[in-house]
Amino acid sequence: MKKLLYLLPVLYFAILTYLSGCIGQQKPFDKTKNLKKKHPYPITILVHGGAGTILKSAMTDSLEQQYRQALIQALQAGYGVLQNGGAALNAVQAAIVFMENSPLFNAGKGAVLTHEGTVELDASVMDGNSGSAGAVAGVKTVKNPILAARKIMENSPHVMMAGVGADAFAKEQGLEIVDPSYFITEYRLRALQKILEQEKTDTTGYRIELSESGKEKYGTVGAVALDQYGNLAAGTSTGGMTNKRFGRIGDSPIIGAGTFARNQTCAVSATGHGEFFIRNVVAYDVSALMEYAHLTVTQAANRVIFDKLLPQGGSGGLIALDQQGNFTMPFNSEGMYRGYMNAHTPQPRVFIFKDE
Amino acid sequence: MKKLLYLLPVLYFAILTYLSGCIGQQKPFDKTKNLKKKHPYPITILVHGGAGTILKSAMTDSLEQQYRQALIQALQAGYGVLQNGGAALNAVQAAIVFMENSPLFNAGKGAVLTHEGTVELDASVMDGNSGSAGAVAGVKTVKNPILAARKIMENSPHVMMAGVGADAFAKEQGLEIVDPSYFITEYRLRALQKILEQEKTDTTGYRIELSESGKEKYGTVGAVALDQYGNLAAGTSTGGMTNKRFGRIGDSPIIGAGTFARNQTCAVSATGHGEFFIRNVVAYDVSALMEYAHLTVTQAANRVIFDKLLPQGGSGGLIALDQQGNFTMPFNSEGMYRGYMNAHTPQPRVFIFKDE
């Protein structure tokens, strides 16, 4: 009988753990309950400008400075909105519009060129509060595709529009329409010509999205934000892959793949080899791992980028942010243009390479 | 001390339950381990032909018989492939090609018409074994969009192609190309004219996808299958919504929303109000609930259709199948054209209305 007494603490602990596990599993997932509503949420914005084989050795100091400066300005554009009490959606939009207008990034002006030497732009946006979303694919004339995605979300019964129809909707909504030549830069023209030359001597099929060094580079821009009201939002915009053909659509305009936001879990914007990101439903998977497997935003994002995508050869990264202001910016490529700004860091912090 | 003895069975049970819970949670998710590899898997095929306000009162006996017959033939086409030792992907393809060729369903021939009186077809397919996928959006000339999706999956580096580019790829791959008039039926022309008439007197914006009775109806076809090797596959094809404009894309061509397959979890094809299905990443959510929250395929599908979509007003349904041959066909609308055929049911079983 005395032996039983020794077992008591063990049994007690086992029962307690079991019971707490049961309760934890049955309770509906609602992190917001634990937050004091009277305190504003810690406003935060993250941006990315694409991932891939971005090596310090392959970049001039001047170009590196241009990228860092542009990331800082994108963060400031978004953070300014949040600081003035603005909505996460508007902050995401401001940061992405800045990057779309910059010729440095593969989105809006300066986007990569298709096989035919044209631009076909994709973008999407999602509101973590309402769950509403909007997306455009293959637009050619709307100056800021992210604004077209927002208009679709707010002023149409649809989530996704493509091609000339999407351009027509953007025009009808009063968005700025530009001549397709507006988007084209000398740099991207040269990149396309280089690939077309390589294609002539390459029998393995058509080549897509090679950087100067012949390595993979995935240009996309994106932002996620948390406003003082506790609302999350995410957005992504891209020109896709250099030399893309056949109306190829990547993950950026796909809700669940390139973009996802839900106040109860996280806001995510992804960048990388889009086909892998579509098949793995990357952005929503981070949210699902938080909701169903009870991982933190960092654990969930790492699981997707390193444990799922990396073994498949799915190169890229993502930015993710939760309602408490916890965030992560993992990538499995050589580098990712990225940065953040929040209430704790009055100055924007930007990074390009690994181990920065 | 005697009192402790009474507690023993309770404690014993609690510890056992706790331990089994721990093991279940920590073990990597792999249902296949428990199956004896030497036994073939229970070949199964499910199809759907769309969901919505499908009421017996609004349908003639003759039309009802035509639908039931077509569903049976689609099932037989797919099951025949499985019975001959064919792959799940080929079974899904055979069932969907049959429904695309039938003028009864909103896919391929007989698809609904856009605002301009044209057809814009969407389709997607996913292989649960390799995780590869293919999709087309807004194609206008390839006779069987599901075959174009399959070609993209197998013969291109991409997952998704849209518009004229996708049609060009399909042609390059040797698929049958038809004049756009091939798809148009008298019935769909009348349906479009009716909506256009209603639109003239309606100031709430443009009307989409109303059935004869003025109620919602979402036409899509889809199939999921399990072959004897334990491989799952899923596919979906649609003409979208009557009177759709601006190159609207619904959930059918979106991997994760309308279609998803993974051997370790399930194969899913969805049909319903596409915008809700995109925002809720419906098809992948069923898989995520199985993998991360350890629900069965039926529990997971019910959670998505009834607990998530219904409160949002997201009308529709889905078919889902796991590697053990367990399946479910839930819908929150008035009806869903649906059916199944497997080793246990030598005759195909088809259903249209609720409570059948």
Side-chain angles (χ1 to χ4, degrees), chain B residues 57-300:
Chain B
S57 55
M59 195 181 266
T60 63
D61 283 351
S62 153
L63 190 61
E64 187 184 324
Q65 277 317 308
Q66 285 178 50
Y67 273 112
R68 288 189 193 271
Q69 192 52 36
L71 289 169
I72 287 171
Q73 287 175 284
L75 285 168
Q76 285 170 333
Y79 196 73
V81 171
L82 299 173
Q83 233 173 354
N84 292 324
L89 264 175
N90 292 336
V92 161
Q93 181 180 302
I96 292 179
V97 162
F98 180 87
M99 291 188 282
E100 283 180 342
N101 291 346
S102 160
L104 287 172
F105 302 102
N106 175 17
K109 187 173 183 64
V112 299
L113 304 181
T114 67
H115 186 69
E116 292 77 22
T118 60
V119 292
E120 289 181 7
L121 305 166
D122 304 334
S124 64
V125 66
M126 189 161 185
D127 174 6
N129 183 38
S130 65
S132 57
V136 286
V139 290
K140 295 180 175 185
T141 63
V142 57
K143 187 186 176 197
N144 291 107
I146 195 70
L147 298 183
R150 178 91 187 260
K151 289 286 187 191
I152 289 168
M153 178 176 100
E154 289 177 347
N155 298 342
S156 93
H158 299 317
V159 168
M160 190 171 189
M161 295 182 185
V164 290
D167 273 315
F169 180 79
K171 191 178 176 186
E172 211 179 281
Q173 291 288 313
L175 292 180
E176 190 174 353
I177 301 298
V178 294
D179 188 87
S181 63
Y182 158 80
F183 299 107
I184 298 172
T185 59
E186 266 301 314
Y187 175 74
R188 301 297 191 190
L189 268 174
R190 282 201 306 274
L192 175 64
Q193 278 154 6
K194 195 165 177 180
I195 291 187
L196 291 176
E197 283 299 319
Q198 289 169 335
E199 225 178 29
K200 283 182 190 162
T201 55
D202 184 356
T203 54
T204 61
Y206 84 92
R207 296 178 80 102
I208 36 171
E209 183 67 30
L210 299 179
S211 70
E212 309 306 87
S213 56
K215 298 273 176 63
E216 289 169 329
K217 195 171 141 191
Y218 305 107
T220 314
V221 307
V224 295
L226 169 66
D227 63 31
Q228 64 174 287
Y229 316 104
N231 292 324
L232 291 170
T236 311
S237 180
T238 189
M241 291 170 154
T242 301
N243 197 29
K244 69 180 178 182
R245 288 164 75 180
F246 306 123
R248 178 258 185 189
I249 295 178
D251 63 315
S252 301
I254 310 246
I255 298 301
T259 302
F260 191 79
R262 186 157 176 262
N263 279 1
Q264 290 78 6
T265 52
C266 58
V268 180
S269 171
T271 174
H273 194 147
E275 278 70 16
F276 288 87
F277 283 61
I278 293 176
R279 288 191 290 255
N280 287 278
V281 201
V282 163
Y284 179 66
D285 203 25
V286 176
S287 173
L289 280 163
M290 291 179 70
E291 181 170 357
Y292 305 142
H294 309 290
L295 301 192
T296 66
V297 66
T298 302
Q299 290 168 336

